[in-house]
Amino acid sequence: MALISDGRFVEDAWRRLADEEALPKSGKVIVSLPRLDHALEIQTSEMTLGAIVPNTAEPSALMSALPRLGLVSIAFPAFADGRGFSLARLLRRAGFAGELRASGRLVADQYPHLVGCGFDTVEIPDDLAERQDESQWRAALAAYSRAYQRGYAARSSVLEARRKALRP
């Protein structure tokens, strides 16, 4: 899988564990949602936990765990399934400050909206990364300087820009 951050392909510092794989005593590990409660019970101070969740997950299922998680990865089963965008906004509104990752068959054209919803990184399959190189992801990120709705990106909204322009 290829990982994109700020429009660039980067190395992934996290390790995704299979459900049958033993939890290590240290490092950054990602576990599935069904395995999360057990992982939190045995979490050590040297271990940073992340969780991969389906885009259909209820935010309430994660609320108690959010303060102890360093990453939440939301699975996108298809690029046309936008439920992960809504889940990301809800998690950010709930105060999650860790890394928020979109994982699945996403395309570069969706990148500005992903960032606007609060995603920090995007994980895509290698075959998709071969067809959409780093330059396409950077171009997509730079395509819009403002959005119509407030997001979590550092950019201001169109409305905020208009208000500033009208002030004397």
Side-chain angles (χ1 to χ4, degrees):
M1 298 285 267
L3 187 65
I4 302 147
S5 177
D6 293 323
R8 301 195 183 287
F9 289 112
V10 297
E11 289 294 319
D12 193 354
W14 291 85
R15 183 173 146 223
R16 188 177 300 187
L17 296 180
D19 283 339
E20 65 278 356
E21 200 172 346
L23 281 167
K25 300 216 184 286
S26 63
K28 294 181 171 188
V29 295
I30 303 171
V31 297
S32 65
L33 186 57
R35 192 173 180 192
L36 181 59
D37 287 337
H38 174 68
L40 288 168
E41 286 175 13
I42 63 170
Q43 183 180 17
T44 65
S45 59
E46 295 86 34
M47 181 195 313
T48 306
L49 273 177
I52 184 159
V53 299
N55 63 352
T56 56
E58 287 294 325
S60 59
L62 292 168
M63 288 306 155
S64 63
L66 286 181
R68 296 180 58 193
L69 294 176
L71 173 138
V72 173
S73 179
I74 299 174
F76 282 75
F79 80 95
D81 189 343
R83 292 176 286 185
F85 293 105
S86 301
L87 180 56
R89 287 184 76 78
L90 291 171
L91 293 177
R92 288 295 189 207
R93 284 183 190 156
F96 180 65
E99 180 181 337
L100 198 53
R101 179 181 292 189
S103 181
R105 298 198 67 82
L106 296 154
V107 295
D109 289 345
Q110 294 171 306
Y111 198 31
H113 191 57
L114 287 161
V115 171
C117 288
F119 285 102
D120 301 298
T121 55
V122 179
E123 183 181 46
I124 59 173
D126 291 331
D127 68 317
L128 198 56
E130 289 175 16
R131 289 183 301 194
Q132 293 189 345
D133 64 10
E134 193 174 280
S135 66
Q136 289 179 319
W137 290 90
R138 279 196 315 266
L141 190 58
Y144 301 101
S145 60
R146 298 210 186 331
Y148 280 100
Q149 60 195 128
R150 285 189 188 141
Y152 294 91
R155 304 173 192 159
S156 64
S157 71
V158 170
L159 181 59
E160 291 166 339
R162 286 181 182 162
R163 285 182 181 155
K164 287 180 184 176
L166 294 175
R167 288 186 191 143

